[in-house]
Amino acid sequence: MGTAWLISIFYFLVVLPIMYLSDELFSVFSVEIISVIFLSGILISFFRRASPETTDSTEKHEGASSTADRLTFRLLLVFLCIWIGTCFISCYFSIDPSSSFYSFLKLLTLILIFFESMLFFKDSTNSFLVVVCTACVIHSLFGISDYFQEIPIPATWIDPNLRDVIKTRSTGVFSDPNIFGAFLSMFFPFLLMGTVVSTEKKSVKTLFAGTLFISAYALFTTFSRGAYIASFCGLMVFLAVKKPSLEISFNKKILIALFLLLTVVFFAGPFKYRMFSIFRPSDMTFSQRTLINKAIIKALPDVPLTGYGLHTFSLIYPKFRVVGGDYPLYAHNEFMQMYIECGPVAFAAFGLICLTILLRIFQMIFSKKREEFFEACSAGVFSAVILNNISGFSSRIFPTAVVIAIVSAGLFRKDISLFISETKNQLKKTANMYLIFSGIIVFSVFCGKFYYTNILLNSAQRLLGEGKTIEAIKALETAEFLSPANSQIYFQRHFCHISAKEPEKAETSIDKAISLNPNEALFWLAKARFYLSSGNNKWESIFHKVIELDPAAEAFRLEYALALSSRGKTLEAIAQLDEALKSSPGFHDVYLKYKEVESAREELLLKISTGANFATSPVKLYSENDF
């Protein structure tokens, strides 16, 4: 199974990020199935023999783990169980359970990969290093190609003052440069390890050094400040754990030359401007992030004990955001997002997990012995991950989360063998065996159900776009049978019934979607638009609910204002536009919707001064295609 696991590692590191960009649903489902297959194989092997490929390693590493190490590992298991339990409870009480439970399945998959990686990592790590090297070369070349082609990027990714210097930011096969930077930052300790210990052949060491240079240059082109800092700190932790000698060898000469070359490249190019912009509070991206954090911190005291539910940040954040413009899907801070979504208990358990792992790393740093390279690499990577997720969200993107689960497992690869050896009698009990396999079956069924439901939703959306309304409705009916509590199904049915000219069914569908997820502003907006188009006078009260759910949404207030002005309520319309401008982050050359708000406001003021007939004034309303 070791070879099969290595092939899976290649898939996770090289293929998965590429596939995720084009087919997120299948890529997630494929990883879920792979993790289940390996878990089943491990358990079958375990119940037939002492343990899966662990007997030899148990004998080999007996005594390698100290009492403190074993205690740290057991604490990790306890905190992990508490965290999983509290995350599950948060899904049950979630404001959007269907979305939360789907995310919970992904979380369980990552935990399975974490434990499976512990079992399959061997002392011989050359094969793993080859996979890492291959992944870095392929993904780095994608990123460097983006950079030299000057791929167009959203205006929000760069402060306007730096646009003349920074033309683009590379994303590789990812959709965000910060995620691409975080992805690369997790491999630098392993590339450094490959340069030092991969083989005695100088040509191979030089190959790893070259890969390190290419990957570092690709990292530079992301212009991700968080990834810069995380990469540097990860390498420093790696060195602190490994405690290299001060003797100048061929390996060290390569690394010194490489470091000097990268320093010259960094300061000679435009990369330094992005890094030093972190010291300018007026920087657009930095100030926007500050305002996002300010709103989150203000909302923390009101978070329920079980949170709002996994993967609901983007749904609840609009309620308390203090600035318009961006719609962040994530909090850019994993700890705050965990608190918002899963509540204070899950947050505490998650914090203790991180502290336990950091305790292991500190034990390594202050220990007199020199740790093995693999453990040192994992320590460096986890430190980089922590820093990345204090100001980013790489742990929320599935391909990078998979890498985190794999490389973090290296810290505990010796402990898992000893733990299984000590607890094998309990695990081998028939009742426990049936319970474990029953859990695997239930997990697999739910993974399949969520995957097929989302396939049907995507298919229905495509069919509706092609004008095949009846086929779209049939697909949604099947999805409803599988997941009757999924609000997105009824949201899509609303538009299908509008297309089929069935207003009663359209209203029933949107009401059902709202009843399942009353916190989704887009559902209420769809209802407001429906009432506007059908002449129902309740449209204004529905718009009030939209604004209540997202008071800083300049687009919603603009649409509401246009609807009011078209019905002669000019002063009320201007009041909405004024409120929209209050939440402006500035930078209207970037956040273009505010220019529309200003233009609409000027037009209404002009009509007041000229005495125009507001009731007959033209108004641009939006269609369902604008969602």
Side-chain angles (χ1 to χ4, degrees):
M1 289 183 71
T3 302
W5 181 248
L6 189 64
I7 294 172
S8 297
I9 294 292
F10 180 87
Y11 175 76
F12 293 154
L13 270 57
V14 179
V15 181
L16 179 63
I18 300 172
M19 185 181 296
Y20 187 82
L21 186 65
S22 59
D23 192 345
E24 178 181 341
L25 287 176
F26 178 75
S27 62
V28 172
F29 183 63
S30 67
V31 175
E32 291 171 339
I33 295 304
I34 289 172
S35 66
V36 165
I37 290 172
F38 274 98
L39 178 62
S40 301
I42 288 169
L43 291 172
I44 291 171
S45 178
F46 174 78
F47 288 121
R48 284 180 177 176
R49 301 192 302 272
S51 64
E53 302 187 25
T54 59
T55 305
D56 294 339
S57 60
T58 299
E59 294 172 358
K60 188 172 184 178
H61 295 305
E62 196 72 52
S65 294
S66 66
T67 303
D69 289 342
R70 296 187 188 189
L71 177 61
T72 302
F73 184 68
R74 289 180 180 274
L75 283 174
L76 176 69
L77 295 180
V78 170
F79 297 144
L80 197 58
C81 289
I82 296 172
W83 181 52
I84 294 171
T86 50
C87 286
F88 177 79
I89 293 171
S90 81
C91 295
Y92 185 81
F93 292 101
S94 172
I95 59 176
D96 187 9
S98 59
S99 176
S100 294
F101 278 112
Y102 177 62
S103 296
F104 184 71
L105 291 177
K106 291 197 286 186
L107 174 62
L108 289 181
T109 302
L110 295 171
I111 291 171
L112 286 180
I113 292 172
F114 176 65
F115 282 103
E116 289 164 0
S117 297
M118 286 188 210
L119 286 169
F120 287 107
F121 277 141
K122 301 292 187 180
D123 286 335
S124 177
T125 56
N126 284 351
S127 298
F128 179 75
L129 291 177
V130 170
V131 175
V132 168
C133 184
T134 304
C136 287
V137 169
I138 292 173
H139 291 296
S140 296
L141 291 177
F142 275 121
I144 293 171
S145 174
D146 280 355
Y147 180 69
F148 283 108
Q149 292 181 57
E150 294 190 359
I151 301 295
I153 60 173
T156 55
W157 284 5
I158 289 292
D159 183 84
N161 294 325
L162 294 177
R163 283 185 197 155
D164 293 336
V165 179
I166 301 174
K167 304 296 183 182
T168 188
R169 295 179 65 185
S170 63
T171 61
V173 298
F174 296 86
S175 58
D176 186 286
N178 296 318
I179 298 303
F180 182 38
F183 179 81
L184 291 173
S185 70
M186 290 186 282
F187 295 124
F188 289 123
F190 290 101
L191 292 176
L192 192 62
M193 173 183 171
T195 305
V196 176
V197 299
S198 56
T199 178
E200 293 302 318
K201 293 183 178 180
K202 292 183 178 181
S203 59
V204 177
K205 294 178 184 292
T206 306
L207 175 64
F208 272 97
T211 303
L212 184 59
F213 176 81
I214 293 172
S215 301
Y217 189 79
L219 175 71
F220 291 168
T221 65
T222 66
F223 291 92
S224 174
R225 295 167 297 200
Y228 291 168
I229 296 170
S231 300
F232 179 78
C233 291
L235 288 173
M236 291 301 101
V237 170
F238 166 78
L239 294 174
V241 171
K242 185 56 188 169
K243 307 176 184 67
S245 66
L246 298 178
E247 179 184 351
I248 302 298
S249 61
F250 174 78
N251 298 333
K252 292 188 176 66
K253 289 177 182 178
I254 290 180
L255 293 176
I256 292 171
L258 186 61
F259 175 77
L260 293 174
L261 179 59
L262 287 172
T263 302
V264 171
V265 170
F266 184 83
F267 284 99
F271 316 112
K272 59 182 177 295
Y273 298 112
R274 174 69 174 170
M275 183 65 218
F276 295 144
S277 69
I278 199 170
F279 300 110
R280 287 195 302 111
S282 61
D283 178 85
M284 182 189 71
T285 56
F286 186 79
S287 61
Q288 187 79 326
R289 191 80 54 84
T290 302
L291 290 170
I292 291 172
N293 291 339
K294 177 182 177 182
I296 295 171
I297 292 170
K298 186 177 179 181
L300 292 180
D302 298 324
V303 174
L305 183 64
T306 58
Y308 296 104
L310 267 178
H311 198 59
T312 59
F313 174 81
S314 61
L315 186 62
I316 202 66
Y317 170 73
K319 273 190 174 183
F320 52 77
R321 67 179 182 145
V322 297
V323 64
D326 282 337
Y327 262 104
L329 297 177
Y330 308 99
H332 290 78
N333 183 299
E334 179 57 42
F335 296 94
M336 287 198 289
Q337 182 150 346
M338 182 58 59
Y339 194 101
I340 291 284
E341 292 186 344
C342 299
V345 179
F347 165 79
F350 179 71
L352 288 170
I353 290 171
C354 294
L355 287 175
T356 301
I357 298 176
L358 290 174
L359 176 62
R360 167 64 62 88
I361 294 172
F362 280 118
Q363 288 173 344
M364 292 177 173
I365 291 174
F366 294 106
S367 171
K368 293 182 179 179
K369 71 173 183 177
R370 296 172 64 191
E371 296 289 341
E372 294 182 21
F373 269 100
F374 203 85
E375 278 74 7
C377 287
S378 295
V381 170
F382 187 79
S383 303
V385 166
I386 288 288
L387 284 171
N388 253 315
N389 285 278
I390 288 176
S391 63
F393 50 91
S394 62
S395 61
R396 294 284 169 157
I397 306 302
F398 195 67
T400 48
V402 169
V403 177
I404 292 170
I406 292 170
V407 297
S408 299
L411 285 166
F412 301 97
R413 61 179 181 150
K414 297 176 182 177
D415 302 88
I416 189 68
S417 300
L418 294 173
F419 178 77
I420 290 177
S421 178
E422 293 169 358
T423 59
K424 63 183 179 182
N425 292 331
Q426 288 293 323
L427 291 173
K428 276 195 166 185
K429 286 184 178 179
T430 304
N432 290 337
M433 180 179 69
Y434 285 131
L435 183 64
I436 292 171
F437 277 104
S438 297
I440 291 174
I441 293 171
V442 171
F443 175 78
S444 302
V445 168
F446 273 98
C447 288
K449 187 190 88 162
F450 277 105
Y451 173 65
Y452 189 53
T453 299
N454 284 310
I455 288 292
L456 290 169
L457 282 168
N458 289 344
S459 176
Q461 189 173 18
R462 176 181 54 80
L463 290 168
L464 181 60
E466 295 172 355
K468 300 176 181 179
T469 306
I470 295 175
E471 292 87 341
I473 291 175
K474 287 181 179 178
L476 291 172
E477 286 174 348
T478 305
E480 182 181 353
F481 174 77
L482 292 171
S483 302
N486 190 324
S487 59
Q488 289 294 329
I489 295 172
Y490 305 98
F491 184 52
Q492 287 199 25
R493 287 193 66 166
H494 168 72
F495 296 116
C496 288
H497 291 306
I498 288 177
S499 178
K501 301 189 186 310
E502 298 172 334
E504 295 83 5
K505 291 183 178 180
E507 184 172 6
T508 301
S509 295
I510 196 62
D511 285 342
K512 179 67 173 178
I514 289 173
S515 67
L516 290 170
N517 188 356
N519 293 283
E520 178 55 81
L522 290 178
F523 293 177
W524 291 95
L525 181 61
K527 186 171 184 177
R529 292 172 176 175
F530 177 71
Y531 280 174
L532 268 171
S533 62
S534 60
N536 190 317
N537 292 328
K538 294 180 181 178
W539 66 269
E540 193 168 352
S541 63
I542 303 299
F543 257 117
H544 286 164
K545 183 64 178 178
V546 174
I547 300 302
E548 177 188 325
L549 289 172
D550 195 351
E554 70 278 10
F556 293 168
R557 287 192 183 271
L558 174 61
E559 185 171 349
Y560 185 24
L562 293 175
L564 288 168
S565 69
S566 69
R567 284 153 178 79
K569 299 183 178 182
T570 311
L571 295 178
E572 292 93 327
I574 292 175
Q576 289 298 323
L577 298 174
D578 288 340
E579 287 297 320
L581 291 172
K582 286 181 182 178
S583 64
S584 168
F587 309 102
H588 290 186
D589 289 335
V590 174
Y591 301 106
L592 299 177
K593 185 62 67 175
Y594 282 102
K595 281 193 171 183
E596 294 183 39
V597 172
E598 290 174 327
S599 177
R601 186 176 184 278
E602 290 173 4
E603 184 179 344
L604 290 178
L605 290 173
L606 180 62
K607 287 180 179 180
I608 289 177
S609 65
T610 58
N613 185 352
F614 307 118
T616 59
S617 298
V619 56
K620 177 187 180 294
L621 292 179
Y622 296 76
S623 69
E624 57 269 19
N625 296 324
D626 295 314
F627 281 101

